Amino acid sequence: MFKDVSFGQYYPTNSLVHRLDARVKLFLTLLFIVVIFFVKSYFGFMLTAFVLLVVVLTARLPMASVLKSVRGILFIIVFTSLLNLFFIKQGDVLVSWNIGRTMFAITKTGVHTTIKMVLRLVLLIIGASILSLTTTPVQLADGVESLMSPLKLIKIPVRDIAMIMSIALRFIPTLFEETNKIIAAQKARGASFDTGNLFARAKAMMPVLIPLFVNSFRRADELAFAMDARCYNATDKRTKMKKAKFGFGDAIALLFILSFATVIMLDRYYFGTIGIDIDYMIFGGLL
Amino acid sequence: MSAIELKHLTFVYSKKTPFEKRALDDINLSVEEGTFLGVIGETGSGKSTLIQHLNGLIKVQDKKVSSVIVNGLSATDKKALKNLRFEVGIVFQYPEYQLFEDSVKKDVAFGPKNMKLSPEEIDARVRRALEVVGLDYDEFAERSPFELSGGEKRRVAIAGVIAMEPKILVLDEPVAGLDPAGRAEILALIKQLQKDVSPTIIMVSHNMDDIAVLADRIIAMHDGRIELDGTPEEVFCNREKIAEIGLDLPLATRLRDKLVERGVNLPDGIVTPKQLETALANLKSGGLNERGDDNV
Amino acid sequence: MSQIELKSVDYCYSLGEGRSIKALKNLSFSIEKGQFVTLAGMNGSGKSTLAKLLNGLFLPSLGEVLIDGVSTKDENSTFEIRRKAGMVFQNPDNQMVATIIEDDVAFGPENIGLPREEIIERVDYALKAVDMDEFRTRTASKLSGGQKQRVAIAGVLAIRPEILILDEATSMLDPKGRREVMGIAKKLNEQGITVINITHNMEEAVLSDRIIVLRKGRIAIDAPPKDAFASGLIEACGLSLPPVLQLAENLKKDGFEFDNQILFEDELAEGVCRQLN
């Protein structure tokens, strides 16, 4: 049921990308996520894919683990593309048929919108997973803490939030593993999780969810003891072993992604025709 | 007829990825009904992949080459799968962490219910199972499993599996984490289960002393292969192999070797404290000053 | 002054609705610096509760726990006491806060606000002490149970404790992991760290200087291993003699005699041999 225990898990290769300042990576990932919604031409998508490819290669990540994250949202992708495909009515009709009195039609615009939406989702997920594949939960939490540090002034417990985040990330694989164990044990007693209607299936999950919750509370309890025993909250002046430092590599990364963002923005707002022209050069009449 | 018949069973995790791992490598195993089979091997040697094949929790990967047949049912036959689940009961490690119902009675009834038995039959089985594991029905049936002691929880969890009355019972480290009193109780219970419920028992354990006493036959696994297969006496005689695959000898065997080193004449094939005791008592009462001259 | 001193300690768990159960009853004893103490008892005997009283995770309901003369009830000293008395727990998965091993070991020193250089130095020292330094930048999920517990011990050592409390730290490990952890405990003890090992495994107890056995919240036995095993009380406390001793006891019935209490396999082999030759 949950086969991808390693989904989005830190993948250590000690590459240039891994060694970047987590704050820079967080910022650039956010920037990337914003920018990807401004991409409008196929040229733009190809450029984005190329940028991601460069990053993945630099990070020395295996393609399989990057694509794994896409598989995780496959259901959402299929679902939304079907919606798009059938409900967009503008543009030339490609095929149409009647079911009862309702007419269903797939239009050219519908097809293009759907393809672009799928590309957007896939590239977005890949971009986000590169962050989690190359950054340890602790670095990530430290980065969030550092970026959120102005909020300390208005008494928001930034440090605790960051700690909660880092622990949550740390326990994801543990809980996945535990879920699989419980599922196996209940299956061994004849439980089945894939028969019946939605309600029956939800009910069939109870033998898994209840022990999972009970065990999680037990774990949380023990973890709290372990953290206390190791002097958590001993001082307000908690220090860090690894201090993120803005370096040369970070400057290059910033420059790289910023220029990518600039090209996308220019394509959208100033030279609105370039991307489209290139699209026509490549795909011609298909568009 | 063999209770279990495995032929050329191979299983590879994460096939064709950088994480590829061969968990089982051409396993051939045939287990007679009525056997108490001990399975030993380091963590990661393939034991748990092997046992999960027996009730179809893990599907046979290469149906052309491998076959898993349990009590005449083939694990590659989709229709047989459901029955296979009830033919082989598996008690996983720390089974108490899988309890979920609000009463002991309901939790134990989960398996029989999934078998679609009649309410009367379910009730009868719950009573029998609780009785076998030594929990008084009237005292425990309505209690929440979550408020029991560690040892009691484990009994309830075991009852939940044996209520399905499987012909083959698999136990993965059944005494892990229990205190000595709890251990002794559960080990005695397992012996009893073989008589009353499941004639064929497979027990995975890291404790060589327990295995040496309980098992009629032992398989030692390493890197997905069965490296040793035989009676406890045969398996533990192969000292080099046992050491090579990272396992220990039972205490009695270690002591026997230490005594032989010191010149005491003891035969090989001593694996339980009882055997050692008997051998030593014989030497003593024989009154002979037997020195094994052929021993170094 | 003893390093650890308990003065008439009671501990009650609240069950809600004003009800409570007494887990520990009027305990008084002391532990000297450098001792290796086994704290044993069957499940529910109160041994884990007692462990948590030693570093102020629990506070006594009555009486006092003193670490180097300072009461765990003194709020200003809570962290001083936790720095002195480090604790490793049962489940290796539930005490790791970070994914990367060195990050986890650094957690304690970071909490007490040490400067960066010193944290790195301590992480180095701690990982070397448990022989895990080659794993420092790896993720913990790929380790064996024994290795995970060694990392947990390193996490405690990085705080430079004077007392190491192992709260059933070996109970979920296989024999190999158990040996690894006990080997490290023994080594640290030889370097002067007081070790308190909470367990129900009497084979581990053989390594210690002293065994304290709890039964129903009271001390039933407090003696060196040989005397504790000779007391005839071990089984009554829900524990069992180490297998070597059991064997020795049975051999006595067959007419063997041993002039000393047997603890180790070699002692037994020696003793048996002498009577056969």
Side-chain angles (χ1 to χ4, degrees):
Chain A
M1 182 156 302
F2 299 109
K3 290 210 175 79
D4 290 327
V5 179
S6 58
F7 159 66
Q9 280 292 304
Y10 180 66
Y11 188 95
T13 67
N14 193 28
S15 74
L16 192 69
V17 183
H18 285 75
R19 283 181 315 232
L20 289 182
D21 185 335
R23 290 168 301 180
V24 172
K25 276 194 272 189
L26 264 167
F27 171 73
L28 292 179
T29 308
L30 287 177
L31 180 70
F32 174 82
I33 290 171
V34 173
V35 166
I36 200 150
F37 284 98
F38 286 87
V39 176
K40 64 168 188 182
S41 61
Y42 286 109
F43 160 71
F45 282 114
M46 284 190 284
L47 186 68
T48 313
F50 174 74
V51 165
L52 286 180
L53 186 70
V54 170
V55 178
V56 170
L57 290 179
T58 320
R60 299 207 300 268
L61 295 172
M63 268 306 161
S65 60
V66 178
L67 294 178
K68 231 182 195 176
S69 51
V70 178
R71 217 165 64 197
I73 58 150
L74 208 57
F75 173 74
I76 301 175
I77 294 178
V78 172
F79 185 70
T80 43
S81 23
L82 286 177
L83 277 184
N84 267 298
L85 212 51
F86 289 112
F87 288 96
I88 291 176
K89 302 271 187 242
Q90 306 99 309
D92 310 336
V93 175
L94 292 174
V95 276
S96 70
W97 65 94
N98 290 308
I99 297 175
R101 281 190 207 154
T102 337
M103 194 193 78
F104 287 91
I106 294 178
T107 66
K108 210 170 186 183
T109 319
V111 171
H112 285 298
T113 316
T114 305
I115 294 176
K116 285 182 181 171
M117 187 217 61
V118 170
L119 286 173
R120 219 185 292 281
L121 271 176
V122 168
L123 294 171
L124 181 102
I125 281 298
I126 291 180
S129 72
I130 290 174
L131 177 71
S132 64
L133 283 163
T134 62
T135 321
T136 69
V138 168
Q139 288 168 340
L140 216 51
D142 286 351
V144 169
E145 186 180 344
S146 172
L147 289 178
M148 285 185 5
S149 55
L151 296 177
K152 279 181 187 161
L153 292 176
I154 51 168
K155 304 264 180 222
I156 289 180
V158 172
R159 201 179 76 194
D160 290 331
I161 294 174
M163 182 53 77
I164 291 168
M165 197 185 114
S166 131
I167 286 174
L169 290 169
R170 144 76 185 84
F171 273 89
I172 286 173
T174 310
L175 292 180
F176 263 115
E177 206 179 297
E178 170 139 31
T179 311
N180 280 330
K181 274 188 196 158
I182 299 173
I183 287 177
Q186 308 300 31
K187 272 188 175 170
R189 291 164 78 191
S192 61
F193 303 106
D194 39 17
T195 49
N197 58 25
L198 207 61
F199 180 72
R201 285 187 194 201
K203 213 179 140 210
M205 285 308 286
M206 295 316 276
V208 175
L209 294 178
I210 293 173
L212 189 63
F213 275 115
V214 172
N215 298 345
S216 300
F217 279 114
R218 186 176 41 83
R219 282 182 194 280
D221 234 26
E222 286 179 31
L223 180 69
F225 274 131
M227 287 173 68
D228 275 341
R230 287 164 76 185
C231 303
Y232 189 56
N233 276 335
T235 163
D236 292 333
K237 298 188 198 69
R238 195 171 190 272
T239 48
K240 294 273 164 67
M241 173 171 72
K242 291 174 183 162
K243 194 121 195 141
K245 253 170 65 190
F246 189 88
F248 184 63
D250 297 298
I252 300 212
L254 261 177
L255 212 64
F256 182 62
I257 300 294
L258 280 176
S259 18
F260 158 70
T262 314
V263 173
I264 295 296
M265 289 304 181
L266 285 177
D267 177 32
R268 185 172 184 104
Y269 290 110
Y270 290 96
F271 307 101
T273 55
I274 291 183
I276 304 291
D277 287 346
I278 297 177
D279 284 1
Y280 269 102
M281 272 162 54
I282 299 171
F283 300 108
L286 282 176
L287 293 167
Chain B
M1 188 183 68
S2 309
I4 297 169
E5 193 78 60
L6 308 180
K7 280 195 184 127
H8 304 296
L9 183 59
T10 295
F11 190 85
V12 184
Y13 280 107
S14 311
K15 233 178 176 168
K16 289 176 193 148
T17 73
F19 308 102
E20 181 169 309
K21 188 180 185 303
R22 193 168 282 262
L24 295 178
D25 191 359
D26 196 21
I27 297 280
N28 292 289
L29 177 69
S30 149
V31 182
E32 290 303 312
E33 192 183 59
T35 307
F36 195 123
L37 179 73
V39 182
I40 56 178
E42 284 190 302
T43 312
S45 58
K47 295 170 296 182
S48 93
T49 311
L50 179 74
I51 60 175
Q52 292 190 54
H53 270 96
L54 300 179
N55 70 344
L57 272 180
I58 296 181
K59 303 256 176 341
V60 176
Q61 216 163 32
D62 192 342
K63 290 178 189 167
K64 279 183 219 128
V65 183
S66 318
S67 77
V68 174
I69 295 173
V70 177
N71 283 346
L73 298 168
S74 166
T76 47
D77 175 5
K78 271 208 172 136
K79 272 178 258 161
L81 206 60
K82 195 86 193 174
N83 290 327
L84 198 62
R85 287 280 150 83
F86 306 124
E87 207 73 21
V88 183
I90 301 187
V91 178
F92 285 95
Q93 265 185 56
Y94 299 98
E96 58 275 22
Y97 292 154
Q98 287 118 36
L99 298 172
F100 69 99
E101 281 287 11
D102 52 11
S103 76
V104 167
K105 191 170 84 179
K106 282 199 223 162
D107 211 295
V108 177
F110 183 64
K113 249 188 210 159
N114 288 327
M115 294 170 84
K116 310 258 188 293
L117 299 174
S118 68
E120 299 77 44
E121 177 65 17
I122 292 176
D123 189 58
R125 286 200 175 195
V126 172
R127 283 172 187 273
R128 267 207 298 273
L130 285 175
E131 189 193 333
V132 173
V133 299
L135 294 175
D136 182 54
Y137 183 87
D138 296 320
E139 192 190 337
F140 286 93
E142 300 298 335
R143 285 174 68 183
S144 160
F146 295 104
E147 61 182 34
L148 304 178
S149 78
E152 287 164 350
K153 276 186 195 166
R154 185 151 310 175
R155 281 153 183 272
V156 172
I158 294 176
V161 173
I162 62 174
M164 305 191 305
E165 302 188 354
K167 300 263 173 30
I168 298 166
L169 183 64
V170 183
L171 301 127
D172 188 358
E173 291 281 349
V175 295
L178 295 179
D179 63 16
R183 285 174 54 93
E185 284 168 11
I186 297 286
L187 289 175
L189 167 65
I190 293 170
K191 241 358 218 177
Q192 195 59 39
L193 288 177
Q194 189 175 23
K195 283 202 195 97
D196 295 348
V197 189
S198 312
T200 309
I201 301 248
I202 298 177
M203 182 166 122
V204 177
S205 176
H206 281 119
N207 189 317
M208 300 303 145
D209 296 329
D210 290 348
I211 286 278
V213 172
L214 288 168
D216 319 316
R217 176 180 169 193
I218 295 177
I219 56 171
M221 296 191 63
H222 184 67
D223 272 345
R225 290 167 181 275
I226 295 178
E227 293 284 349
L228 293 168
D229 182 349
T231 63
E233 289 78 11
E234 288 162 358
V235 165
F236 290 121
C237 274
N238 206 329
R239 295 174 179 75
E240 292 83 36
K241 197 80 192 174
I242 289 283
E244 187 193 314
I245 61 179
L247 297 175
D248 299 326
L249 292 171
L251 171 69
T253 314
R254 290 200 304 268
L255 277 170
R256 179 258 170 206
D257 290 354
K258 282 181 200 285
L259 286 165
V260 169
E261 261 172 46
R262 288 172 170 80
V264 179
N265 190 7
L266 284 168
D268 205 354
I270 288 178
V271 296
T272 70
K274 253 228 159 69
Q275 290 169 343
L276 182 65
E277 225 187 286
T278 316
L280 288 175
N282 283 341
L283 278 187
K284 176 117 181 130
S285 62
L288 296 166
N289 244 358
E290 288 190 62
R291 289 197 64 118
D293 293 328
D294 49 335
N295 289 307
V296 185
Chain C
M1 187 175 60
S2 302
Q3 194 177 29
I4 301 171
E5 192 169 0
L6 273 78
K7 288 184 176 167
S8 326
V9 169
D10 271 17
Y11 186 82
C12 302
Y13 276 104
S14 161
L15 295 173
E17 298 157 20
R19 293 184 304 149
S20 65
I21 40 169
K22 224 178 216 185
L24 297 174
K25 295 162 197 159
N26 198 17
L27 288 189
S28 296
F29 65 88
S30 53
I31 293 175
E32 305 303 322
K33 192 167 165 44
Q35 277 193 330
F36 192 137
V37 180
T38 298
L39 194 56
M42 60 189 289
N43 293 341
S45 61
K47 61 186 191 299
S48 272
T49 307
L50 177 54
K52 292 190 177 75
L53 283 163
L54 300 180
N55 63 350
L57 287 177
F58 289 168
L59 297 176
S61 309
L62 275 178
E64 267 189 317
V65 177
L66 303 174
I67 307 294
D68 285 332
V70 181
S71 167
T72 54
K73 280 182 175 167
D74 176 3
E75 280 179 28
N76 296 322
S77 307
T78 302
F79 291 106
E80 193 194 314
I81 285 170
R82 289 193 187 149
R83 284 172 74 159
K84 263 187 198 153
M87 190 158 181
V88 176
F89 296 80
Q90 182 176 25
N91 189 333
D93 285 324
N94 296 352
Q95 52 189 316
M96 244 166 230
V97 290
T99 308
I100 304 295
I101 287 162
E102 61 176 355
D103 292 351
D104 188 72
V105 178
F107 181 73
E110 289 178 342
N111 284 336
I112 51 182
L114 294 175
R116 208 175 142 255
E117 296 70 33
E118 194 173 348
I119 297 178
I120 293 172
E121 207 176 284
R122 286 190 176 198
V123 171
D124 274 343
Y125 148 77
L127 281 172
K128 281 197 185 110
V130 300
D131 203 16
M132 286 295 289
D133 47 332
E134 58 176 313
F135 293 93
R136 68 180 293 164
T137 57
R138 302 221 203 137
T139 58
S141 58
K142 300 257 154 65
L143 302 181
S144 72
Q147 289 173 324
K148 283 182 189 170
Q149 282 304 54
R150 277 151 67 187
V151 172
I153 294 177
V156 168
L157 288 182
I159 319 176
R160 296 266 156 99
E162 291 165 28
I163 304 163
L164 175 64
I165 305 166
L166 302 169
D167 186 3
E168 303 201 42
T170 59
S171 76
M172 295 182 77
L173 304 181
D174 59 15
K176 196 172 153 204
R178 191 182 285 270
R179 277 197 297 269
E180 286 170 18
V181 168
M182 290 320 292
I184 283 164
K186 190 77 195 155
K187 191 180 88 182
L188 293 170
N189 180 247
E190 277 155 16
Q191 291 166 9
I193 294 179
T194 309
V195 175
I196 300 172
N197 184 35
I198 290 111
T199 184
H200 45 233
N201 183 314
M202 287 296 109
E203 277 174 86
E204 290 172 14
V206 168
L207 296 172
S208 57
D209 310 320
R210 173 181 175 191
I211 303 180
I212 299 175
V213 181
L214 289 185
R215 192 172 72 180
K216 293 181 183 161
R218 294 180 199 275
I219 293 181
I221 307 172
D222 181 354
K226 289 198 178 191
D227 302 338
F229 294 139
S231 69
L233 292 169
I234 293 284
E235 269 106 354
C237 295
L239 299 171
S240 54
L241 292 173
V244 182
L245 265 92
Q246 281 171 25
L247 199 67
E249 288 301 314
N250 288 337
L251 287 174
K252 280 183 193 166
K253 286 176 205 150
D254 297 324
F256 283 91
E257 281 160 37
F258 305 103
D259 27 332
N260 254 322
Q261 179 69 283
I262 302 285
L263 282 187
F264 299 99
E265 290 171 24
D266 283 312
E267 292 174 353
L268 182 64
E270 224 30 78
V272 169
C273 198
R274 227 175 290 134
Q275 293 171 64
L276 285 176
N277 293 335

